[in-house]
Every structure is written in C-alpha cells, then in structure tokens.
C-alpha cells in the first residue's frame, strides 16, 4: 500500500483503484506528483514537474528546478519562494513568519493511530490499512511538522492529518490545513460544494473553477447549514456514472475552510482544514498541536462512485458502537405534534398509537425541564418540569416501557438561557468577549466548553439524567451560531484558540458520555442539519437531517446530503400536512417514500390520524423493518437529480445484491410530458430481477440500459417504491 523508493525518494500510496505519489525533491522540498487512477510504481513522474516556466518568482540558492512557486507542492508554506496560499503558517517569537519545512525522516507502519482528542476514521483487525508519517523540520526554529497519511486499501480512501511539535521557542500557528493537493490542469474541473441555510441544507452547487481562490467556509462555530465541510473537483462532463472527481471531507464540527486556488499555470491547490480566519494557537516549547483528519476520495467513475466510497467508510469505519451495524429504532418524536405544549396524558395518547402502528421508540423533545413553555428560558436547568410530567422521566419511561415502547429524550447541553438558575449562578460560564454584551440567538447563550468546570458540570448532569430513567435514545441539539466568541479563563494571547478549544471540549464530553452509555442510541441535531459532519458521526451514528420535514424539500436535502453521507446517517420523519415549514400538502404515501431510506420515524400527532392514514403508517413501519437494512447497508445509486429535473429517482442494492429498491419522486405537475425512462444502476447484467408488485421479470441489463417507464400521472407530488428480487 505504501512504498518509499530510496533512489527516486518518491512515496507511492496505493489503494485498490487509486495512486497518490509525492516525493522528496531538491533541497528536501516535498513535492506532489500524482493523485488519480492507479498507476504502476516504477513510472517516472518527474515529467509532471515543469521547470521550463518563465516566472518572476524567487528560488533558493542551489534549487535548479525553477521555483517552488511553479511546482506542485505537497504541504506548502508561505514567505519563501512559493507565494500561493499556504497549508501551514505561523508567527515565531521574533515576529517573523517564514516557516521553511523540509523533509527530515519518515516511518511506514501497519494500521492507523488514534487522533488525540479528535474524531477520526479507524481500522479494525484484518483491515488492509497502512500509515505513513513524514517528518518535516524547520531547522532554524526547531519546529517539527508530521504529515500523516493512512491508506485504506479496500475502501479506496486516503486520510490525512498533521501534527506539530514545537521544540524551539514559542510560536503561534495561524494556518494548519489538514490536506492540500496541487492538481495540474484545473481548468478542466468544476468546483462542487454543498450549501444552504436552515431548512434548506446541503444543496448541490457546481461551477467551473476560475483563476484565483474560491472556497466555502464556516465562521459560525459549527460546520453550519450554510456550507458543508466537503468539496469536490470534477471534470466538466463528469456525472453520476463517469468522469474524474477529486474530493475532500473534514472530520471536524467547527469552523472550516475548503476550496481551491487556481494559479496562472492552471494548477489548482485544493485544500481543506480548520478555518485560518480567527484561528491562532500558541505553542510553547515542548507543546504539540493535532489537526483534524481529512478524508480524500478520488473516483474516475463519477460522483456516484465517490459517494458510495464515503458511505461505506463512514458506515463501517467512522461510526462506532453497538448501533453501527444493527438496524436502529423506528420512532415517534413529539416535537411537531405538540411543541412544548404537552403533559403526560397527551404524550401517552400519542405513544399508544405509536405502539399500535409498530414503532419502537418514543422521543420526548424540547420542553420537559425547568419552566420551559417557550424557548426563552431554562436551558441549563435540567430538572424535570413537574407540572407537565408529575411522575418524572422515570415515571414516563415506565409507562412507555409498559406499552412496549422505548423512551428517548431531547437535550441541548451546549447552551444556557440567560433566564436560568445556571446562568444566574455562573454568568462567566457563557462564551463572551470582555467588554462586549453577548448577543443571544433563540434567546440563548453558548456555554464555554473550553472550560474544564463547564465540561465537568455537563458530564455530571447528563450522567445523572441518563441514569435516572430507562433512556435508550438521546437527541443532542444545538440551536445557534456562536458570537462574541471568547473565554474568561484564557489569556488574551489565547483567545484565538477558543473556537477550536470549544470543539475539543465538545468532543471530550461526547467521548465520555457515549462510552459511559454504550446502550443509548445518540442522534445529533443542530436546528436540523446545521452540524451534519463526519466529526459528529463518529460519536453519534445519525443526524437529524433538517428541520424541514416537507417531503418535496426533503427530496433535495437528502439528495445533496448523500454526496458524502450515507442514508443510514440521515434522520427522516413523516410529518403532518399542511407541512409546518412550507405549508405544502403532500400525500401521506410520498412522505413515507421520502423518509423510508433514512432513519425513519414520525413527527406528528398520531392520535389525530384518520383510520386510512393509520393503515398507511402501519404499512410504512412494516416496510421500514423489512427494507431498512437494504437502505442502510446496501449501495445507493442516484439515478435522476431533483436539482436537474422535476422527477428524480434513486435505487438501493442490498449488501447481498439480492434486493433492489427503486424510489421515484415527482415534485411538480407537467402536462403532456415526453416519455421518461428510469435506468437502474448497480445490477448484475445477466441476472433476472422479478418485480414484486406485478411479477414482471427483467434482466439486469434491461433494467440498466432500457430502464422502466416513469409510469405515473402528471400531477404533482407523486412517488413510488418498487422492489425487485434477484432470482
Ligand atoms: C431544533 C430541532 O431541529 C428540532 O427538531 C427540535 O428539537 C427543536 N430544536 C426543539 O427546540
């Protein structure tokens, strides 16, 4: 998987289908040589480096190969000869900021080490995984930078991260990207990213790269609904099934930047990492800093193949714990059913229906603690609201358990309401900048998780609540962006560390709580999908995809989300109509067809459903139980994009390849349409597939090449789920 050629001094990293090559070049500069489809190791790659370019750029004395400004660099710094955007930058004690990193040594070993304090992908016994650690040194300042590469051979993935050890005088890191790759011929590529806002997260955005720097980022303290920490460069004509795609995703839940800088030679410097904006980290002598991990995926079979690589890796080697490999709970959540206006009786009336239709779990959402009738108080006061729940959480849990349902609970541990006993006792526990009045968002402040006392408080009350009743699921919410970010306990110099220290603090809490309660299923949430990232998925295997539960909107949101996240990670519920976010009325069936491939549930007052709706709901739960494993462990193929057409489709192929499920959606009515055929993907051409609803027999080749007709009336909000069994 990883070799080092002593003569050429090239590192060759290979997965099943890809190669990644870089080398030690003149004066020990680390240069990037190749990333793409697999090539043999013996090939000479220096022809990739053009030394012919005429430029204004400087060069080191003794460097005969042009300038590093014109070469493809592996982990660039700024201030010497490469004047493009750096992957690493820092200010030294003397005020200078010209880090010069040169190759010093390397190690290659089997397996993959843990990242201290950070979420990351991992390997298990028997996995073909190797790690390369390259040590770069700034010998003048005695600063050591370790580039880590782990190769997941069978998964076709390379991960990267960076660790810094300061053995010299104090310095301040201002940029430390997790990955930077210089790609030739960037004029051939489009820039793909996922953007949105609350209730319309992760829309697929695609534009040709232009000369200059283009990037997406978050400065909101969390990954955010606005941009996701994912970026891809694809050939202009690449689509779901063909073309080259280079992509990066960051295993991190805080401020990030991801993008590409295209220079005058059409070299694209693709990068991802912690957002350098508002970031600074002081390293005293002997201290270290660890960057988050970037996951790099290359595909020459289009975006679909890229996504399936991410899906499998995240399902199997990012998510952890008991719930990783088993089918999870079909649930009812009371949020859109009651909001905060509930009592035990009302909840139990919904629960009875939930049991009746076959659900597993009842989730009590916001409003169960303090004096929480509206969202302007009580966060931080995690004591049961006795007027609503006179028998407490354990009383409610017992009644639910007696009905045959498990009990789940909503919490928002990172927040404090100014109107709370906690804030009155500890105003210093909120994030704040000295001399500035902190702004509220949803009338709440953010707790300063960089503080040990705040983390201890959080771990303690969570442990107490989770031990106080038979709680088997937690929805972990986070409902505002961070502002006036600062910590009263940190020195002035270290205020630029608060965003990252917050995330490290959050990860410490999550690690402690999720390992202390391994039998609880955790779902993360941030005003819907505001923190849908691989970092959170490491602790919690599913995320509430969006607060927008409208079936039509969800077709888009889930499609975009699937670019790099599996359906097994997407919380998806059937909600009431007219829909609470967009007022649209869609058929109950369509709501089910949209929610079924995700982690399925209901978000409505089941006691208000008609008999006919109850029967459909029962059928949906039955289908979820039967097909959940196909959606969650099978391969997903996006067939027609809702961003390109008012009809869209996807199919799933089960892990054992025996079951195929086709989902089709129509969002808009159109009269007199052309014939439309849906061509499936991922089948065996010579196998026979029998359609369950009418017994029709098709060869795989027929379904993939001729396809089956759209089959529906031209009215809006149509959907269908069609199951095929391989003979
Ligand atoms: C935002 C979440 O996304 C909703 O599902 C709900 O839990 C509310 N918060 C509760 O305040």
């Amino acid at each position: 998987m990883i070799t080092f050629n002593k003569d050429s001094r090239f590192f060759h990293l290979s997965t099943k289908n890809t190669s990644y090559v870089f080398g030690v070049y003149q004066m020990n500069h680390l240069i990037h040589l190749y990333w793409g489809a697999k090539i043999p190791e013996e090939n000479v790659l220096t022809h990739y480096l053009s030394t012919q370019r005429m430029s204004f750029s400087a060069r080191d004395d003794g460097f005969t190969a042009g300038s590093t400004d014109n070469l493809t660099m592996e982990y660039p710094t700024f201030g010497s000869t490469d004047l493009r955007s750096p992957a690493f930058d820092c200010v030294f004690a003397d005020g200078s900021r010209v880090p010069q990193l040169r190759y010093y040594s390397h190690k290659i070993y089997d397996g993959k080490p843990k990242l201290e304090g950070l979420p990351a992908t991992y390997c298990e016994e028997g996995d073909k995984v190797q790690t390369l650690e390259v040590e770069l040194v700034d010998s003048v300042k005695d600063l050591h930078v370790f580039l880590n590469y782990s190769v997941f051979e069978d998964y076709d993935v390379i991960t990267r991260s960076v660790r810094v050890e300061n053995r010299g005088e104090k310095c301040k890191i201002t940029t430390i990207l997790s990955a930077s790759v210089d790609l030739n011929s960037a004029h051939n590529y489009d820039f793909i990213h996922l953007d949105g806002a609350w209730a319309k997260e992760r829309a697929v955005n695609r534009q040709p790269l232009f000369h200059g720097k283009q990037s997406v980022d978050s400065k909101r303290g969390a990954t955010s609904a606005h941009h996701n920490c994912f970026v891809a460069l694809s050939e202009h004509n690449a689509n779901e099934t063909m073309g080259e795609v280079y992509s990066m995703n960051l295993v991190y839940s805080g401020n990030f930047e991801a993008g590409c800088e295209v220079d005058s030679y059409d070299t694209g410097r693709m990068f991802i990492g912690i957002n350098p904006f508002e970031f600074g980290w002081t390293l005293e002598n002997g201290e270290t800093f660890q960057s988050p991990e970037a996951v790099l995926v290359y595909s020459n079979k289009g975006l679909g193949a890229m996504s399936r690589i991410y899906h499998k890796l995240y399902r199997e080697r990012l998510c952890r714990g008991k719930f990783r490999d088993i089918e999870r709970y079909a649930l009812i959540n009371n949020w859109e059913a009651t909001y905060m206006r509930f009592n035990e009786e009302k909840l139990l009336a919904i629960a009875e229906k939930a049991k009746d239709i076959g659900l597993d779990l009842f989730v009590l959402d916001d409003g169960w603690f303090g004096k929480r009738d509206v969202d302007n108080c009580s966060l931080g006061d995690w004591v049961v609201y006795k007027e609503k729940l006179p028998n407490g959480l354990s009383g409610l849990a017992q009644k639910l358990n007696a009905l045959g349902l498990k009990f789940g609970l909503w919490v928002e541990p990172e927040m404090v309401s100014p109107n709370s006993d906690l804030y009155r006792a500890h105003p210093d526990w909120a994030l704040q900048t000295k001399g500035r009045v902190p702004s509220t968002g949803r009338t709440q402040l953010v707790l300063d998780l960089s503080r040990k006392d705040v983390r201890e408080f959080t771990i303690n009350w969570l442990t107490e609540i989770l031990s106080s009743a038979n709680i088997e699921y937690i929805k972990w919410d986070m409902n505002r962006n961070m502002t006036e970010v600062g910590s009263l306990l940190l020195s002035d110099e270290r205020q630029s560390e608060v965003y990252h220290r917050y995330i490290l603090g959050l990860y410490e809490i999550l690690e402690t709580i999720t390992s202390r309660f391994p039998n609880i299923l955790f779902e993360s949430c941030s005003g819907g999908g505001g923190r849908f990232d691989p970092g959170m998925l490491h602790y919690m295997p599913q995320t509430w995809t969006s607060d927008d539960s409208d079936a039509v909107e969800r077709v888009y949101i889930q499609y975009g989300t699937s670019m790099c996240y599996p359906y097994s990670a997407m919380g998806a519920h059937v909600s009431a109509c007219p829909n609470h976010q967009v007022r649209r009325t869609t058929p109950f069936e369509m709501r089910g067809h949209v929610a079924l491939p995700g982690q399925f549930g209901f978000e409505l007052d089941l006691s208000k459903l008609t008999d006919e709706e109850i029967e459909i709901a029962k059928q949906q739960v039955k289908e979820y139980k039967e097909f959940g494993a196909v959606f969650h462990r099978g391969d997903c193929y996006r067939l027609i994009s809702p961003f390109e057409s008012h009809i869209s489709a996807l199919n799933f192929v089960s892990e054992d390849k025996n079951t195929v499920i086709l989902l089709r959606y129509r969002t808009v009515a159109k009269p007199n349409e052309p014939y439309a055929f849906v061509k499936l993907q991922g089948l065996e051409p010579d196998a026979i597939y029998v359609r369950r609803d009418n017994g029709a027999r098709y060869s795989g080749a027929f379904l993939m090449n001729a396809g089956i007709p759209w089959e529906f009336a031209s009215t809006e909000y149509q959907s269908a789920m069609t199951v095929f069994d391989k003979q």
Side-chain angles (χ1 to χ4, degrees), residues 430-438 483-488 495:
L431 286 177
Q432 55 200 280
T433 300
K434 277 182 237 159
R436 305 282 168 197
V437 177
T483 56
E484 295 87 24
V485 172
S487 172
L488 294 186
Q495 291 300 316

Side-chain angles (χ1 to χ4, degrees), residues 385-434:
Y385 194 158
K386 281 278 180 179
E387 280 138 58
K388 292 183 187 178
L389 301 172
N391 302 305
L393 293 177
S394 64
L396 178 62
Q398 278 164 22
K399 290 186 183 160
L400 291 168
N401 291 167
L403 273 176
L405 289 174
K406 296 176 191 302
F407 174 46
L409 191 67
W410 176 97
V411 290
E412 194 175 2
E414 299 162 64
M415 298 290 152
V416 62
S417 306
N419 182 9
S420 67
D421 293 342
L422 181 70
Y423 187 70
R424 283 183 280 274
H426 299 285
D428 52 326
W429 279 13
L431 286 177
Q432 55 200 280
T433 300
K434 277 182 237 159

Side-chain angles (χ1 to χ4, degrees), residues 198 333 335-336 339-340 365-367 372 375 410-412 442 444 475 477-479 525-529 544 546-548 603:
W198 175 80
N333 178 302
W335 180 241
E336 289 193 20
Y339 296 98
M340 295 185 202
D365 211 283
D366 196 354
R372 186 98 163 154
D375 61 12
W410 176 97
V411 290
E412 194 175 2
R442 208 192 189 202
Q444 61 200 51
K475 176 177 175 186
D477 209 346
M478 191 277 196
N479 280 306
C525 173
S526 178
W544 180 226
S546 176
D547 270 349
D548 195 337
E603 183 106 5

Side-chain angles (χ1 to χ4, degrees), residues 342-616:
F342 59 81
N343 55 28
E344 197 185 81
E345 203 184 334
K346 203 163 177 180
L347 299 180
L348 290 171
I350 298 173
E352 270 167 37
K353 286 285 178 190
K355 181 62 201 163
D356 191 32
I357 64 170
L359 295 173
D360 306 306
L361 173 87
F362 180 95
V363 182
L364 174 57
D365 211 283
D366 196 354
W368 59 266
F369 52 93
K371 290 276 168 215
R372 186 98 163 154
D373 292 315
V374 277
D375 61 12
N376 63 5
C377 70
S378 301
L379 290 167
D381 297 345
W382 300 104
V383 281
V384 174
Y385 194 158
K386 281 278 180 179
E387 280 138 58
K388 292 183 187 178
L389 301 172
N391 302 305
L393 293 177
S394 64
L396 178 62
Q398 278 164 22
K399 290 186 183 160
L400 291 168
N401 291 167
L403 273 176
L405 289 174
K406 296 176 191 302
F407 174 46
L409 191 67
W410 176 97
V411 290
E412 194 175 2
E414 299 162 64
M415 298 290 152
V416 62
S417 306
N419 182 9
S420 67
D421 293 342
L422 181 70
Y423 187 70
R424 283 183 280 274
H426 299 285
D428 52 326
W429 279 13
L431 286 177
Q432 55 200 280
T433 300
K434 277 182 237 159
R436 305 282 168 197
V437 177
S439 324
T440 53
R442 208 192 189 202
T443 348
Q444 61 200 51
L445 298 169
V446 185
L447 283 172
D448 178 1
L449 300 190
S450 75
R451 293 174 64 127
K452 194 160 182 283
D453 49 3
V454 175
R455 295 199 296 276
E456 275 169 8
F457 163 81
T458 308
I459 289 170
N460 288 343
W461 78 255
L462 276 165
T463 302
E464 214 172 285
I465 288 283
L466 298 187
S467 316
S468 72
N470 190 17
I471 295 171
E472 299 186 65
Y473 161 104
I474 282 288
K475 176 177 175 186
W476 183 295
D477 209 346
M478 191 277 196
N479 280 306
R480 62 160 292 185
N481 295 148
M482 297 179 197
T483 56
E484 295 87 24
V485 172
S487 172
L488 294 186
L489 279 196
L490 283 175
S491 64
D492 294 351
E493 182 184 48
R494 290 191 180 270
Q495 291 300 316
S496 53
E497 298 175 11
V498 178
Y499 280 109
H500 184 60
R501 282 185 185 274
Y502 178 94
I503 295 296
L504 293 179
L506 171 66
Y507 290 152
E508 183 187 306
I509 297 170
L510 294 178
E511 182 69 36
T512 310
I513 292 296
T514 53
S515 33
R516 202 169 274 178
F517 295 95
N519 293 322
I520 294 183
L521 170 63
F522 288 84
E523 173 161 342
S524 84
C525 173
S526 178
R531 208 162 52 181
F532 206 129
D533 59 62
M536 295 309 283
L537 289 177
H538 186 61
Y539 303 98
M540 312 192 185
Q542 59 194 65
T543 300
W544 180 226
T545 313
S546 176
D547 270 349
D548 195 337
S549 59
D550 169 62
V552 172
E553 290 299 311
R554 275 295 186 117
V555 167
Y556 294 86
I557 294 167
Q558 294 174 189
Y559 184 97
T561 304
S562 77
M563 275 296 140
C564 55
Y565 306 109
Y567 273 83
S568 60
M570 299 183 211
H573 300 169
V574 171
S575 64
C577 280
N579 173 267
H580 292 194
Q581 293 78 36
V582 298
R583 311 305 301 162
R584 191 179 351 240
T585 296
T586 51
F588 207 92
E589 289 86 344
M590 181 181 191
R591 284 175 261 160
H593 288 150
V594 174
L596 273 168
Q599 291 295 344
F600 180 79
F602 291 86
E603 183 106 5
L604 44 70
D605 189 345
L606 290 171
S607 64
K608 292 192 178 138
L609 293 188
T610 62
D611 291 347
E612 193 194 340
E613 286 171 330
I614 286 285
E615 287 315 307
I616 306 173

Side-chain angles (χ1 to χ4, degrees), residues 34-54:
Y34 178 81
W35 182 23
K38 196 158 187 162
I39 52 169
E41 284 184 28
E42 58 273 18
N43 279 13
V44 178
L45 279 159
T46 34
H47 65 270
Y48 265 66
L49 302 172
S50 169
T51 54
Q52 307 305 317
R53 288 169 181 160
M54 309 283 287

